[in-house]
Amino acid sequence: MDGLSVVTLLGAATAAGWVDAVVGGGGLLLLPALLIAAPGLPLATALGTNKLAAVAGTSTAAVTYARRTKLDWRVAGPAAGMAVVVSGLGALLAGRVPAGAYRPVVLGVLVAVALFVTLRPAMGLVADPFKRTPARMVAVVALAGGVIAAYDGLIGPGTGTFLVLAFTTVVGADFVHGSAMAKIVNTGTNLGALAVFGATGHVYWLLGAGMAVCNIAGAVLGARMALRRGSGFVRVVLLVVVLALIVKLGVDQFRA
């Protein structure tokens, strides 16, 4: 890998850290960048190296949010703990599931998400505490720590976005607090997957460490900006990231 490729990856890691901290979806930038910069890199190694960078950024963003806003640990804590295990199980299967098997499903979900957020402009702008019932709290823990965590271990890109939407729609968090809880859970999913990828030799440690430093820088900037500018800003970034994911997956599907 030449110097220009490394510099490009470090820049992509910084941008991915910013996007992840605000609303998730940084893997949309970093994973394709890894595969393009290192064409011979196995998919599992690209996923593992991406996780090394991502866990640094998401954990930094999580700490930043936790210091500056109040988190509902009754939801975020159990979901994060569950996510470590489930994401690790998903990572064991990474690379065995062909892209064509999941891409249409994820694409359909993202289109639905984009329409849902667009047609409900008030969603996530203010918290809805009446949604935070015991049943809904159990449901969001299962969704975030189970279904979405398994997706992150298997595939990855877009996980943070799905987590934000889960917390805003199921338990009525506003976008800022939903993003904060998403960072806690996303740290768990990244840790679980990284442990498996590392144990199986699928992490490019030196490159991943460099990208991790850049990812942290982007994450600090993104988390502070989201906290300063509020839920309206996060909503706009959310729509942009979802639309970008739709375009990328749509192009991939068309080329398949």
Side-chain angles (χ1 to χ4, degrees), residues 17-238:
W18 186 92
V19 172
D20 260 338
V22 177
V23 76
L28 169 70
L29 298 173
L30 197 49
L31 189 57
L34 270 167
L35 294 173
I36 291 169
L41 197 66
L43 177 59
T45 305
L47 288 168
T49 306
N50 175 58
K51 290 301 176 194
L52 177 57
V55 75
T58 52
S59 59
T60 300
V63 170
T64 302
Y65 277 113
R67 285 176 174 174
R68 300 190 178 202
T69 190
K70 186 177 181 180
L71 294 175
D72 190 342
W73 288 102
R74 297 172 302 169
V75 173
M82 182 178 176
V84 174
V85 177
V86 176
S87 178
L89 294 174
L92 289 172
L93 301 175
R96 300 181 188 179
V97 180
Y102 69 81
R103 193 184 298 123
V105 176
V106 177
L107 185 58
V109 171
L110 286 170
V111 170
V113 165
L115 290 172
F116 186 72
V117 175
T118 301
L119 296 174
R120 297 187 63 181
M123 187 196 74
L125 295 182
V126 294
D128 184 359
F130 293 104
K131 283 188 175 180
R132 200 156 296 191
T133 63
R136 283 177 173 267
M137 290 171 68
V138 171
V140 82
V141 168
L143 177 60
V147 177
I148 299 176
Y151 167 83
D152 194 26
L154 274 168
I155 306 159
T159 295
T161 305
F162 292 141
L163 288 169
V164 173
L165 287 169
F167 289 124
T168 54
T169 57
V170 179
V171 291
D174 61 65
F175 278 128
V176 169
H177 289 85
S179 188
M181 289 190 287
K183 296 301 147 306
I184 302 296
V185 179
N186 208 176
T187 298
T189 66
N190 286 331
L191 279 172
L194 177 61
V196 172
F197 285 127
T200 53
H202 286 299
V203 178
Y204 195 166
W205 292 102
L206 185 59
L207 176 61
M211 293 193 304
V213 173
C214 294
N215 203 263
I216 288 172
V220 171
L221 290 173
R224 289 179 177 176
M225 188 174 292
L227 287 164
R228 185 172 65 250
R229 301 190 64 173
S231 293
F233 170 72
V234 176
R235 180 179 184 274
V236 172
V237 177
L238 173 66

